[in-house]
Amino acid sequence: MRTSKYFISTLKEAPSDAEIVSHKLMLRAGLIKRLAGGIYTWMPIGLRILRKVENVIREEMDRAGAIELSMPAVQPGELWQESGRWEKYGPELLRLKDRHQRDFVIGPTHEEVITDVVRKEVRSYRQLPLHFYQIQMKFRDEIRPRFGVMRGREFLMKDGYSFHTNFEDLQREYRNMFETYSRIFERLGLKFRAVAADTGSIGGSGSHEFHVLADSGEDALAYCPASDYAANVELAEALAPSAARQDGRQPLEKVATPKRTRCEDVASFLQLPLTKTVKAIAVMHDDAFSLLLIRGDHTLNEIKAGKLPGLDPFRFATDAEVERFLGCKPGYIGPVVIDRANIRVIADRSVAAMSDFVCGANEEGYHLTGVNFARDLPEPDLVADIRNVVAGDPSPDGKGVLELCRGIEVGHIFQLRQKYAEALNCAFLDENSQSQIMEMGCYGIGVSRIVGAAIEQWHDDRGCIFPPAIAPFTVCIVPMGYSKSAAVKAAADTLYADLQAAGVDVLLDDRNERPGVMFADMELIGIPHRVVVGDRGLAEGKLEYKGRTDSDAQMIPAADAVGFLKGRLCGV
């Protein structure tokens, strides 16, 4: 490709509303152009990258035995009503009506559509297993689209769905997809980690997320360096303390703590460790009021708490509800001297092991010290893991301690089991001609998000550093004075033709621009290898080569430039 026949639109500065590195660089490099909030046009350079990501995914999915199809982006609302997700999916589901006032949605995912296809096409166990996939634009009406393609409303996704006669075969395909996804991200040149995860709104019995590791990631991941354990923090188990609860030694006392509502402030005021405080979090399930007890230095894990009996789902109580049930303003609430007949107390495992702790006194401006279960208040109605793990917690597999890192979710695989097949009556006849509900798996990759995640992981102050597998071009030729020097033009054209003949994805920058502009643009868009052709070097039979991450350029023989570059591309 020649730049004179192509379209490159770079910016010196990113727009002021760009927040994170990938968003800034994608706009500056001209990969995307904003059309509306969370909706972007993929420009030619960006589209080349996107297509390269697609190709790797497609090759590995085909290799794994999946079959590609393409499903409609606009889906009948009746399918979502049949599955039960019409209301459950929430406001992210973009609903619309056609001219006949029939309900439709813009597909955020395609479980309903593919299940409808299979229930109409598959009759016998002999036709199973099946695994279909597509690569298609999706739409989710995010309330706050941000971070460019990382949290957009319209995005490109690979979604796949498998159908099985039994759970054992679903588990086989799940392992196949785990290995396939691992190969995909390895080929893309990304540092990633697969972690056990919550199934969320998709549902099912088990899932794994694939995260590109980056400090800017929205997700916190817990892993054990001494083992293979890894999980999203929202799912990682916080084990109960190994030591038994000690007997209380301090008397129960009410102390004044004026204007101190946070555990940190109370601990500082009382000159106690934060680990001796307990925060009470008031929540509602329908009309039932509960107190969740968390140690002062810990944070509530809403995913874990929301799965507990009687809290699925829950919401945080309003100030008015707190005052109605506890007779106190938030900030001073606690589990002592409350109506346990109408208030449920759920304690985290760490709290259940505490003695002589501090909590709210249910009186504005006061806290209680020396609080102990059994002596000062009944044992909790339920003890459960409801907190986020922290670095240094024991690993759930018993093989070390946990560490935390940040990740950007780019893939997610689910064992859906029979959630959608049962709701949509997707069945087959078994060997005995008996009707059985199919088992299902679901496998997604955020194709457009991968581009942003790659930039978050690989960039410097000059621009993007794309891994070779997804770079827009592999090599760029930058001639010095292409339109002024016949020797430079001839050498650049010859090298360009030779690289094309060798199957190298090459860009020849034949613009009439200053060298600094061309160098800056090529570095900004992240081309891995650069060759400079100039009169001075040609006089010595040399060309200048510089890798995108090299600190210095080097001179190479012009006669063997293609061989040298092919060696670099092969890692020689």
Side-chain angles (χ1 to χ4, degrees), residues 186-441:
E186 286 168 0
R187 283 188 59 185
L188 293 176
L190 300 172
K191 295 179 181 178
F192 71 96
R193 186 177 289 274
V195 300
D198 182 67
T199 56
S201 63
I202 300 295
S205 63
S207 73
H208 280 83
E209 294 171 346
F210 290 78
H211 287 261
V212 169
L213 303 182
D215 291 339
S216 59
E218 289 187 284
D219 290 277
L221 312 178
Y223 68 97
C224 178
S227 71
D228 293 332
Y229 179 83
N232 195 303
V233 164
E234 67 186 15
L235 189 68
E237 182 183 9
L239 299 179
S242 56
R245 181 200 299 166
Q246 297 181 352
D247 294 333
R249 297 182 179 181
Q250 299 176 8
L252 179 68
E253 294 184 7
K254 184 170 74 171
V255 297
T257 52
K259 298 182 180 180
R260 290 169 176 85
T261 59
R262 298 168 63 247
C263 285
E264 293 84 353
D265 298 331
V266 173
S268 176
F269 179 70
L270 299 177
Q271 297 184 329
L272 293 171
L274 185 58
T275 55
K276 295 295 291 184
T277 65
V278 169
K279 67 181 77 171
I281 302 169
V283 299
M284 300 291 297
H285 172 70
D286 295 331
D287 294 326
F289 184 91
S290 297
L291 281 183
L292 308 182
L293 305 184
I294 301 290
R295 206 170 73 184
D297 61 324
H298 291 156
T299 57
L300 176 68
N301 186 308
E302 297 179 35
I303 300 295
K304 294 178 183 178
K307 293 180 178 179
L308 295 179
L311 287 185
D312 184 13
F314 76 86
R315 61 174 175 82
F316 294 106
T318 65
D319 289 0
E321 288 168 332
V322 170
E323 292 195 52
R324 175 159 62 93
F325 281 94
L326 299 177
C328 177
K329 293 182 178 180
Y332 301 94
I333 64 175
V336 182
V337 191
I338 60 175
D339 181 5
R340 291 292 286 270
N342 295 308
I343 299 174
R344 190 178 180 213
V345 174
I346 300 172
D348 181 66
R349 292 168 173 173
S350 59
V351 172
M354 294 175 67
S355 59
D356 293 332
F357 59 85
V358 177
C359 66
N362 290 320
E363 181 178 345
E364 186 175 359
Y366 289 90
H367 278 77
L368 299 175
T369 63
V371 181
N372 288 275
F373 287 109
R375 189 193 71 182
D376 304 316
L377 73 163
E379 296 288 348
D381 297 298
L382 177 66
V383 175
D385 172 23
I386 57 173
R387 71 171 175 91
N388 288 316
V389 297
V390 296
D393 278 342
S395 177
D397 63 4
K399 296 182 180 179
V401 297
L402 295 177
E403 293 187 12
L404 302 182
C405 64
R406 307 296 300 183
I408 300 167
E409 183 189 342
V410 292
H412 206 157
I413 59 177
F414 302 84
Q415 296 175 16
L416 291 178
R417 301 296 309 270
Q418 296 180 330
K419 176 180 177 178
Y420 297 94
E422 190 169 43
L424 296 168
N425 193 29
C426 186
F428 66 97
L429 295 179
D430 64 15
E431 298 93 329
N432 301 313
S433 297
Q434 298 296 310
S435 180
Q436 304 288 346
I437 297 295
M438 296 182 199
E439 295 274 356
M440 283 182 63

Side-chain angles (χ1 to χ4, degrees), residues 400-526:
V401 297
L402 295 177
E403 293 187 12
L404 302 182
C405 64
R406 307 296 300 183
I408 300 167
E409 183 189 342
V410 292
H412 206 157
I413 59 177
F414 302 84
Q415 296 175 16
L416 291 178
R417 301 296 309 270
Q418 296 180 330
K419 176 180 177 178
Y420 297 94
E422 190 169 43
L424 296 168
N425 193 29
C426 186
F428 66 97
L429 295 179
D430 64 15
E431 298 93 329
N432 301 313
S433 297
Q434 298 296 310
S435 180
Q436 304 288 346
I437 297 295
M438 296 182 199
E439 295 274 356
M440 283 182 63
C442 171
Y443 319 95
I445 292 179
V447 183
S448 49
R449 180 179 280 194
I450 284 174
V451 180
I455 296 172
E456 290 293 327
Q457 190 173 84
W458 300 109
H459 68 270
D460 61 17
D461 57 0
R462 299 190 303 276
C464 309
I465 305 175
F466 283 111
I470 60 174
F473 296 93
T474 307
V475 177
C476 62
I477 301 172
V478 182
M480 300 292 96
Y482 183 81
S483 60
K484 298 177 182 178
S485 170
V488 167
K489 184 177 186 301
D493 287 346
T494 298
L495 179 59
Y496 175 64
D498 290 345
L499 287 172
Q500 283 190 315
V504 177
D505 195 7
V506 58
L507 176 68
L508 172 59
D509 196 348
D510 58 352
R511 295 176 294 173
N512 186 25
E513 286 282 3
R514 292 176 288 107
V517 172
M518 294 191 287
F519 289 164
D521 281 350
M522 297 303 106
E523 289 185 322
L524 178 59
I525 64 179

Side-chain angles (χ1 to χ4, degrees), residues 139-196:
F139 192 92
R140 294 177 187 171
D141 199 4
E142 293 274 358
I143 186 171
R144 286 185 300 274
R146 59 195 189 279
F147 307 150
V149 301
M150 303 292 283
R151 184 63 68 181
R153 291 195 291 169
E154 184 183 68
F155 54 95
L156 188 64
M157 179 179 177
K158 190 287 294 181
D159 50 321
Y161 310 90
S162 64
F163 297 81
H164 310 269
T165 58
N166 55 62
F167 182 46
E168 290 71 25
D169 194 56
L170 167 58
Q171 290 178 307
R172 174 200 57 76
E173 185 64 6
Y174 188 85
R175 291 190 295 271
N176 181 29
M177 282 298 103
F178 188 98
E179 295 168 359
T180 298
Y181 275 36
S182 297
R183 287 196 304 270
I184 287 170
F185 297 121
E186 286 168 0
R187 283 188 59 185
L188 293 176
L190 300 172
K191 295 179 181 178
F192 71 96
R193 186 177 289 274
V195 300

